[in-house]
Amino acid sequence: MDALRRSLGGLSLLYALVFVTFAVLHAGVGLGPVREPVIVPAAIVETLCCVVLIGGGYGALARRAWAWDGLIYTHAAALGGVLLGILALAFGPEAGSALLTWYHSVMAVALAAGLSGAFYVSRVRR
């Protein structure tokens, strides 16, 4: 269980880095040749996802008593943000770029897998 906790903690920090990268892109800052349209609500949601994932990653890597619950809550919150982004792309006035579609798809799968792992451990610990 310790290896899974460390893995999910490290992955949470990696996901936070991905979220902050896309928050910066949606704030209008280009990163090299990569540019995305300015979408303020997306930048806000991605920043919040980044913050909660940093908290969950910290709890897991620092071996806090609330680490498993924190990983469940933070992965669920970030997955909710990604699903909100998928809905915004699907029902928005304009289609998103291929990068945004890929980003949302990969993050949804990764967060769902992390959430599944955290749920598994929470059931085994009882």
Side-chain angles (χ1 to χ4, degrees):
M1 298 302 158
D2 194 49
L4 182 60
R5 181 190 45 77
R6 281 195 319 267
S7 297
L8 287 175
L11 284 172
S12 292
L13 297 179
L14 178 66
Y15 300 155
L17 180 63
V18 172
F19 275 113
V20 78
T21 300
F22 275 87
V24 167
L25 286 171
H26 282 128
V29 178
L31 299 175
V34 180
R35 305 238 187 271
E36 287 295 328
V38 175
I39 307 172
V40 175
I44 292 169
V45 169
E46 287 162 342
T47 302
L48 291 173
C49 290
C50 172
V51 169
V52 298
L53 284 168
I54 287 173
Y58 163 76
L61 295 175
R63 297 180 178 202
R64 299 291 181 216
W66 50 266
W68 288 113
D69 291 336
L71 285 171
I72 289 171
Y73 298 142
T74 58
H75 276 72
L79 182 58
V82 170
L83 294 177
L84 185 65
I86 290 171
L87 287 174
L89 286 175
F91 296 113
E94 56 192 51
S97 67
L99 177 63
L100 282 181
T101 303
W102 178 83
Y103 156 68
H104 284 98
S105 301
V106 169
M107 289 307 293
V109 169
L111 289 167
L115 185 60
S116 299
F119 269 129
Y120 169 75
V121 171
S122 72
R123 299 293 290 163
V124 170
R125 288 185 309 145
R126 291 183 184 180

